[in-house]
């Protein structure tokens, strides 16, 4: 009894095995038939001599035919392979082997005819099954379960609302978004970057809302990336952003699925990455980075108040040290008469200009911050608090820094960490240094010049074709309802005009509940 029906003529394109024709004359030609061993050697050839590529061959019961299993044991679940493939093979009925085997293959395994995909399937935690029929093979996803539990992101905690976050599994992250957007219009496209790493990226958008020109531009930029290895979302961000030399982040990074879902409903585009809990949202504007999920879980008056505080903290974190330096160095006349003597007594023993005093303390704060991040959690916060108190008290007593400078630096540090986005917080912390140098050089005039240059840059900055400083530039008064303040939910009935979405109005079914 013949178990496999072998094709009379094997087409070369069906398998990546070179077939040589041998014959005595042109009238009588015979073809050398491809065997399992030929197919296996061809599939295994690109992997070289790696030891974790395992081949397992078994003979079928009641027949001389055999099956070959091929998998990378370091990334597959062996118990799953045993239970889903090997055990069912040995349970095949001896009376009707062909029918039982076909039924098992159709139910458990996926038939593949393109042998060029064999290597990529192996690297995606699939187990491949080869039979005597060398025109096809079968695959089954058998990934090893190494995902961590779904928890709330440490850097995006909220008081009210959902407390789940992305993890390092692409399928689970997409499921968290699908759970919130139960619409067939949610479109997902898989892209792969990195000639050697083949990192998988999921591009998400709502088909009847998002501007397709923006979608095509994002996809074009991702496909144009030429690199052997792409490891982190930061590599993608640097490769596709408009102005890589700008201090300001142009792509929103988040680990919250509710934040991604809300932005998708506004007409934005999201990128979700395999092996990373970080997702990217684009195009965004400056005010997007100062929005928090808590703004939409509180009453609109309270949410607007706290958002205004965050926006005001931008000017404090960037300009307070510069204003202090300008006043002390050039503009003593703006200080009230009752404070002049106190400030003078605090500064008279300092041996160097206020600029060096501010730079010393700001760099010290950054050192303490970096140390607290690298240290273990149990002692990191303790070291940060104790280090700040000890260093602050010691430098004042030593006469290296004034008491007023300690207060200014402390307020500046607090204001910089109010920003919900780490990328925007880092940009603000860096911007304070050129402002301090400008203030030490020209006083208030230097600060004004710095603000003018900063505004020019923000007004000229675009992200994927959308203006970065909208709704201020260009001025769109209708979009102020969700920029500087947040109006009541029932008044947010239009999507941002700078996104140029297909559907500008928000009906009752598409209004945002968890927007951030």
């Amino acid at each position: 009894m013949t178990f496999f029906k072998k094709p009379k003529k094997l087409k070369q394109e069906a398998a990546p095995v070179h077939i040589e024709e041998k014959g005595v004359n042109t009238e009588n030609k015979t073809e050398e038939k491809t065997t399992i061993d030929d197919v296996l050697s061809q599939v295994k050839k690109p992997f070289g001599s790696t030891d974790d590529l395992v081949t397992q061959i078994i003979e079928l019961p009641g027949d001389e035919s055999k099956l070959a299993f091929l998998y990378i044991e370091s990334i597959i679940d062996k118990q799953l392979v045993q239970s889903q493939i090997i055990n069912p093979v040995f349970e095949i009925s001896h009376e009707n082997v062909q029918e039982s085997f076909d039924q098992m293959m159709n139910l458990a395994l996926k038939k593949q005819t393109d042998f060029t995909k064999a290597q990529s399937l192996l690297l995606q935690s699939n187990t491949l099954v080869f039979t005597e029929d060398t025109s096809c093979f079968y695959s089954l996803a058998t990934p090893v379960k190494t995902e961590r539990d779904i928890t709330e992101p440490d850097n995006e905690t909220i008081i009210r609302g959902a407390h789940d976050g992305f993890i390092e599994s692409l399928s689970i992250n997409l499921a968290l978004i699908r759970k919130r957007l139960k619409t067939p219009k949610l479109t997902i496209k898989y892209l792969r970057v990195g000639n050697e790493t083949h990192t998988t990226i999921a591009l998400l958008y709502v088909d009847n809302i998002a501007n397709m020109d923006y979608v095509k531009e994002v996809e074009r930029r991702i496909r144009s990336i030429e690199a052997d290895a792409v490891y982190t979302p930061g590599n993608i961000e640097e490769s596709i952003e408009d102005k890589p030399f700008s201090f300001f982040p142009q792509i929103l990074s988040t680990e919250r699925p509710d934040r991604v879902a809300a932005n998708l409903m506004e007409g934005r585009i999201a990128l979700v990455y395999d092996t990373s809990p970080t997702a990217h949202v684009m195009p965004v504007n400056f005010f997007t980075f100062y929005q928090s999920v808590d703004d939409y879980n509180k009453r609109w008056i309270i949410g607007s108040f706290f958002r205004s505080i965050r926006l005001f903290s931008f000017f404090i974190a960037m300009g307070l040290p510069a204003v202090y330096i300008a006043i002390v160095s050039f503009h003593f006349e703006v200080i009230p008469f009752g404070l002049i003597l106190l400030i003078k007594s605090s500064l008279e023993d300092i041996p160097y200009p206020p600029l060096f005093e501010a730079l010393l303390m700001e760099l010290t704060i950054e050192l303490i911050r970096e140390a607290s991040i690298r240290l273990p959690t149990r002692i990191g916060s303790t070291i940060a608090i104790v280090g700040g108190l000890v260093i602050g008290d010691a430098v004042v007593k030593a006469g290296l820094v004034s008491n007023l400078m300690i207060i200014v630096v402390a307020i500046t540090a607090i204001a910089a960490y109010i920003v919900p986005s780490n990328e925007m917080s880092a940009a603000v912390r860096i911007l304070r240094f050129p402002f301090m140098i400008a203030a030490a050089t020209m006083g208030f005039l230097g600060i004004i010049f710095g603000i003018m240059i900063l505004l020019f840059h923000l007004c000229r900055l675009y992200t994927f074709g959308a203006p970065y400083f909208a709704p201020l530039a260009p001025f769109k008064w209708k979009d102020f309802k969700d920029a500087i303040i947040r109006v009541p939910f029932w008044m947010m009935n239009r999507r941002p005009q700078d996104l140029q979405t297909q559907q500008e109005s928000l009906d009752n079914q598409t209004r945002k509940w968890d927007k951030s």
Side-chain angles (χ1 to χ4, degrees):
M1 166 178 154
T2 304
F3 184 75
F4 293 104
K5 296 180 180 179
K6 301 180 182 179
K8 295 181 180 179
K9 185 175 181 181
L10 183 66
K11 295 181 181 181
Q12 185 173 352
E13 62 269 18
V17 181
H18 181 67
I19 301 173
E20 296 181 358
E21 294 185 353
K22 297 180 181 180
V24 180
N25 52 48
T26 56
E27 295 181 359
N28 257 332
K29 285 187 177 180
T30 60
E31 294 182 355
E32 182 180 356
K33 294 183 178 180
T34 307
T35 64
I36 291 183
D37 295 333
D38 297 331
V39 176
L40 287 174
S41 61
Q42 194 70 16
V43 173
K44 293 163 60 176
K45 185 176 180 181
F47 292 92
S49 58
T50 180
D51 291 335
D52 61 346
L53 183 61
V54 177
T55 304
Q56 188 175 355
I57 299 177
I58 63 173
E59 293 185 357
L60 290 170
D63 197 274
E64 297 180 355
S65 302
K66 59 183 179 180
L67 296 179
F69 302 94
L70 188 64
Y71 54 83
I72 301 176
E73 63 177 353
S74 56
I75 58 175
I76 62 103
D77 187 349
K78 291 184 179 180
Q79 293 183 353
L80 191 60
V81 174
Q82 186 72 28
S83 62
Q84 295 293 326
I85 305 179
I86 298 179
N87 289 343
V89 167
F90 286 105
E91 294 174 0
I92 291 177
S93 173
H94 290 261
E95 298 177 357
N96 197 341
V97 179
Q98 179 70 51
E99 184 179 349
S100 300
F101 179 78
D102 291 342
Q103 185 178 6
M104 185 203 73
M105 288 295 187
N106 293 330
L107 292 177
L109 306 178
K110 184 178 180 180
K111 188 175 181 180
Q112 306 283 349
T113 57
D114 188 358
F115 280 78
T116 59
K117 296 181 179 180
Q119 288 84 13
S120 61
L121 288 171
L122 285 171
L123 294 171
Q124 294 169 22
S125 304
N126 282 272
T127 297
L128 307 185
V129 181
F130 298 91
T131 66
E132 297 282 355
D133 183 2
T134 54
S135 64
C136 66
F137 65 98
Y138 299 86
S139 66
L140 178 68
T142 54
V144 60
K145 295 181 179 179
T146 58
E147 294 88 4
R148 60 182 173 91
D149 295 333
I150 297 176
T151 57
E152 185 177 13
D154 293 333
N155 56 348
E156 292 182 90
T157 56
I158 61 172
I159 299 175
R160 296 175 59 184
H163 293 278
D164 56 349
F166 291 138
I167 61 174
E168 288 77 11
S169 172
L170 178 61
S171 59
I172 294 178
N173 294 342
L174 295 178
L176 292 174
I177 298 175
R178 284 279 189 188
K179 185 170 66 173
R180 288 169 169 82
L181 297 182
K182 296 181 177 66
T183 169
K185 297 299 183 179
L186 177 60
T187 305
I188 300 176
K189 290 186 177 180
Y190 293 108
L191 306 173
R192 286 184 174 85
V193 294
N195 298 331
E196 301 296 337
T197 57
H198 300 288
T199 304
T200 304
I201 303 175
L203 187 149
L204 286 74
Y205 61 94
V206 181
D207 188 49
N208 62 333
I209 298 177
N211 188 323
M212 295 309 298
D213 291 335
Y214 292 164
V215 174
K216 293 177 182 178
E217 178 63 18
V218 173
E219 185 176 356
R220 184 194 66 81
R221 294 188 188 186
I222 294 176
R223 293 187 183 278
S224 63
I225 297 175
E226 288 292 336
D228 287 339
V230 178
Y231 297 110
T232 65
N235 301 143
I236 303 295
E237 182 179 3
E238 291 182 4
S239 302
I240 66 176
E241 63 183 357
D242 289 73
K243 300 292 182 182
F245 296 103
S246 174
F247 286 116
F248 293 95
Q250 298 150 55
I251 298 175
L252 176 65
S253 299
T254 181
E255 296 182 17
R256 299 193 60 90
D258 52 354
R259 198 173 191 183
V260 173
N263 279 281
L264 286 172
M265 289 306 301
E266 282 200 343
R268 294 187 172 91
I269 305 158
L271 297 177
V272 183
Y273 304 89
D274 194 16
T275 70
S276 175
T278 300
H280 281 151
V281 177
M282 62 209 71
V284 292
N285 55 42
F286 174 83
F287 300 97
T288 306
F289 295 94
Y290 283 87
Q291 298 172 354
S292 172
V293 178
D294 274 329
D295 295 346
Y296 303 91
N297 291 322
K298 298 184 176 74
R299 298 184 65 250
W300 71 273
I301 297 177
I302 300 175
S304 299
F305 172 73
F306 286 111
R307 182 181 294 181
S308 301
I309 289 179
R310 288 189 218 108
L311 290 170
F312 183 65
S313 71
F314 171 78
F315 300 99
I316 297 177
M318 183 183 62
L320 184 58
V323 171
Y324 171 80
I325 293 172
I327 291 175
V328 171
S329 302
F330 296 95
H331 309 285
F332 255 100
E333 65 277 5
V334 303
I335 304 176
F337 181 77
L339 296 177
I340 291 181
L341 294 179
L342 294 176
I343 296 176
K344 183 177 181 300
S345 62
S346 176
L347 296 174
E348 61 184 0
D349 295 329
I350 305 302
Y352 37 75
L355 174 62
F356 292 98
E357 184 184 6
L359 289 175
L360 174 63
M361 289 309 302
E362 291 292 349
L363 293 175
T364 303
I365 290 294
E366 293 299 324
L367 288 174
I368 294 175
R369 174 186 172 276
E370 287 296 315
S372 63
I373 294 175
R374 304 294 180 266
L375 288 172
T377 306
R378 294 183 178 180
I379 63 174
S381 58
T382 304
I383 293 297
I385 296 173
V386 174
L389 292 175
V390 171
I391 292 175
D393 183 65
V395 295
V396 171
K397 289 183 177 179
L400 299 177
V401 178
S402 64
N403 289 323
L404 191 57
M405 176 56 72
I406 295 293
I407 297 174
V408 170
V409 170
I411 295 175
T412 303
I414 294 172
Y417 295 122
I418 292 178
V419 187
S421 170
N422 290 328
E423 291 76 13
M424 182 60 74
S425 176
V428 173
R429 296 201 309 271
I430 293 176
L431 279 173
R432 74 177 61 151
F433 291 102
F435 270 89
M436 288 191 296
I437 296 174
T441 306
M442 294 179 287
F444 284 159
L445 186 61
I447 296 176
I448 293 173
F449 281 148
I451 293 176
M452 291 175 60
I453 295 173
L454 181 63
L455 289 176
F456 288 153
H457 175 69
L458 290 174
C459 292
R460 294 188 58 185
L461 192 59
Y462 280 77
T463 62
F464 299 93
Y468 188 75
F469 210 42
L472 289 179
F475 187 81
K476 302 288 185 181
W477 68 271
K478 291 183 179 180
D479 289 345
F480 273 85
K481 61 179 66 176
D482 196 22
I484 299 176
I485 62 171
R486 182 183 81 82
V487 298
F489 173 74
W490 49 269
M491 291 182 62
M492 293 191 294
N493 54 3
R494 304 187 75 85
R495 294 187 171 88
Q497 297 182 22
D498 58 288
L499 297 178
Q500 302 176 19
T501 57
Q502 300 179 46
Q503 294 183 12
E504 187 177 355
S505 299
L506 287 164
D507 55 27
N508 293 332
Q509 283 73 33
T510 59
R511 285 182 178 177
K512 48 189 174 182
W513 289 96
D514 296 319
K515 197 262 172 204
S516 61

